[in-house]
Amino acid sequence: MERSDLLDLLREDARTSTADLARMLDTDEATVQAELDALEADGAVRGYRAVLDPDRVEDERVEAVVELDVTLDRETGYEDIARRLVQFDEIRGLRLVSGDYDFAVDVEADSMRAVSRFVSDQVAPVPEVTKTVTHFVMQTYKEAGIAFEDGDDDDRLSVTP
Amino acid sequence: MSEFHVSERVGSVPPSGIRKFFELAEERDDVVSLGVGEPDFSAPWRAREAAIGALERGRTSYTANRGTRELREEVARYVQRFDLTYDADDEILVTAGASEAIDLAFRALCDPGDGVAVVQPSYVSYVPGVTFAGAEPIPVPTRAEDGFELTPEVLRASGAADAEMLVLCYPNNPTGATMDRAGLEAVAEFVRDHDLTVLSDEIYAELTYEGEHTSIAALPGMRERTVVLNGFSKAYAMTGLRLGYALGPADAVGAMNRVHQYTMLSAPTTAQHAALTALRECDDEVRSMCAQYDRRRRFVLARFREMGIDCPEATGAFYLFPESPDPDAGAFAEALLDAEGVAMVPGDAFGAGGAGHLRVSYATGMDDLRTAMNRLERFLDER
Ligand SMILES: Cc1ncc(COP(=O)(O)O)c(C=O)c1O
């Protein structure tokens, strides 16, 4: 069994049972379980999450993408800033990116007010942060490779040659 | 009744055995079907976009009879991956699906009464195609114990030596069998010894899960006696766009084009634009679909093994061809459909050698495959 094949399957559907993973990878459950344990222990697999369509879950959370500009000095690097930012539960994603700003931050909270307050009270005051631009997410069409479209549109005939 | 008389040729061909099963399956709406002979994916988006773009630019005329030059040149480049070299000028014919090419080949290359050896179990169109052309089908039944590969022994035993043409299809529908170079070489030797020509339907070439696909036309002394068929329906999930092609020596392809230019004029133009992009830009999508089929294949094989169902380790197309738990596969398939709403096609619909087997298509999502296997298991337990 190739590790990359197992990862492909997990990326597609992390809820696949170890029994089914073993069947698809032509191996036994114990081998798959050992590899899963190793992937988790190595930190190669950091977690498993459901991909939710915000339009269809009850307690609708507000998401925003926040652009962060920072200044560095001799004592402070990106890592140091990141280490502090990841501590906030409201920050769901944090990436250093190329281009016009430094960090792309995914923020999630109960309301637009809560997101705004979080950014102005918790993020903006961080000494190295020089500028924030907040983009509220209005609609999600695709996430984690899954397009949010309407159900099953298999229009094939049920039996064909 | 009308005033018409149905021709003897057409009247002598029974309706497809698949049709009957389709009607049974259509009667229920909760069917999980493993009876579908086409991909569950849509065509790659880039190919669809190319079709849309061609329509937007008003490309709605006929093309050259043989297909657009660009597409033929791209096909010529593409088939080099199978060690095949064909001249875009006069050795490639773009058709309305491989289906049209099958029909053209028999009509253009067989005379009435010619024997055409058809390797079976096989796709359902060959025997009717031979019959419509007035030629005589000679069934060549392959065997489960050979993994449904073709051997010189079965060729000899079935009287194929007297035929003019041999029709084979690997990777195979319905068995999923593939043939490696050594196996094909033995067949090629028989073909050369008995001076046969070959129609090799390689529409599932991309869907080969172990090793590489070998074309019989790439073997020594075979190019001049082989017409290769391929198409976009399976590898590129483009069934509804109706596009395929034939490759062969200029005189054979020229004869097929003679029929084509009068009966079809040219293959669908929009589809030709989509196909060009498919060949140029969609290798990654093909690889991804192929990887998914392969996983499903292994999943179903493993489930069959657990249920004690005998099934050759088929390594191509998207079919498995297990032995039916009840020797009467038709009765089994009907009972399974009735009790559990799972559709599998009885193997005898695919001709000689198919009886007692079931064709199981895994061109279906994992969730449906899981459900189908669980229902099958319950059905077997309760039997
Ligand atoms: C072996 C084989 N050949 C040809 C075809 C027809 O393909 P096309 O859609 O290109 O006409 C099929 C379709 O099921 C097939 O299985």
Side-chain angles (χ1 to χ4, degrees), chain A:
Chain A
M1 175 187 60
E2 294 287 329
R3 186 173 254 214
S4 61
D5 290 337
L6 176 57
L7 289 177
D8 280 349
L9 289 174
L10 292 176
R11 254 199 298 257
E12 223 161 86
D13 181 3
R15 290 193 71 219
T16 313
S17 67
T18 44
D20 282 355
L21 290 170
R23 291 177 180 120
M24 284 187 261
L25 296 167
D26 218 354
T27 181
D28 55 75
E29 267 190 82
T31 309
V32 170
Q33 191 56 56
E35 190 66 18
L36 284 172
D37 292 345
L39 284 166
E40 289 172 17
D42 296 352
V45 171
R46 294 293 181 133
Y48 308 89
R49 285 276 180 284
V51 178
L52 304 181
D53 183 341
D55 280 357
R56 306 203 185 186
V57 286
E58 289 286 319
D59 63 328
E60 203 176 306
R61 307 263 291 165
V62 172
E63 295 169 80
V65 180
V66 180
E67 303 173 3
L68 276 196
D69 285 359
V70 300
T71 49
L72 304 180
D73 58 36
R74 216 169 295 156
E75 274 86 54
T76 325
Y78 290 123
E79 299 291 322
D80 302 301
I81 301 167
R83 215 173 359 253
R84 286 168 62 184
L85 292 175
V86 294
Q87 302 304 323
F88 293 107
D89 287 343
E90 288 87 345
I91 294 187
R92 311 297 296 175
L94 177 64
R95 294 183 177 82
L96 183 64
V97 296
S98 63
D100 288 343
Y101 51 95
D102 299 301
F103 287 103
V105 192
D106 300 327
V107 174
E108 201 180 287
D110 286 335
S111 63
M112 283 172 89
R113 275 250 317 263
V115 170
S116 306
R117 198 154 348 107
F118 171 72
V119 174
S120 59
D121 294 358
Q122 307 290 334
V123 181
V126 172
E128 294 80 8
V129 171
T130 56
K131 185 181 165 195
T132 68
V133 179
T134 302
H135 305 273
F136 285 103
V137 173
M138 296 160 69
Q139 185 65 258
T140 302
Y141 299 102
K142 186 175 184 181
E143 191 167 311
I146 299 173
F148 294 169
E149 289 164 338
D150 276 328
D152 186 8
D153 59 351
D154 190 343
D155 56 355
R156 298 175 300 162
L157 301 175
S158 58
V159 179
T160 48

Side-chain angles (χ1 to χ4, degrees), chain A residues 160-161, chain B residues 37-38 95-102 122-126 169 171-174 201-204 229-234 238-240 242-245 318-319 359:
Chain A
T160 48
Chain B
E38 62 176 320
T95 55
S99 299
E100 191 212 348
I102 293 169
S122 76
Y123 179 54
V124 298
S125 291
Y126 310 132
C169 170
N172 184 268
N173 174 8
D201 182 347
E202 300 178 18
I203 195 164
Y204 292 100
L229 306 184
N230 205 330
F232 297 87
S233 287
K234 313 297 170 169
M238 283 172 38
T239 42
R242 310 305 307 123
L243 210 71
Y245 51 90
F318 35 63
Y319 309 104
R359 188 191 70 171

Side-chain angles (χ1 to χ4, degrees), chain B residues 21 24-25 28 30-35 304 307 309 322-326 328-346 357-361 368-369 371-383:
Chain B
F21 208 71
L24 283 175
R28 336 178 18 142
D30 61 339
V31 171
V32 177
S33 181
L34 308 186
F304 282 165
M307 289 181 238
I309 295 175
E323 202 171 283
S324 168
D326 176 339
D328 184 345
F332 182 84
E334 273 183 46
L336 177 64
L337 181 62
D338 196 42
E340 295 286 354
V342 174
M344 300 176 175
V345 183
H357 289 262
L358 297 158
R359 188 191 70 171
V360 176
S361 160
D368 275 354
L369 286 177
T371 307
M373 289 303 118
N374 292 342
R375 291 188 190 177
L376 172 63
E377 189 163 45
R378 183 168 62 193
F379 179 73
L380 291 174
D381 285 348
E382 286 171 4
R383 215 156 59 105

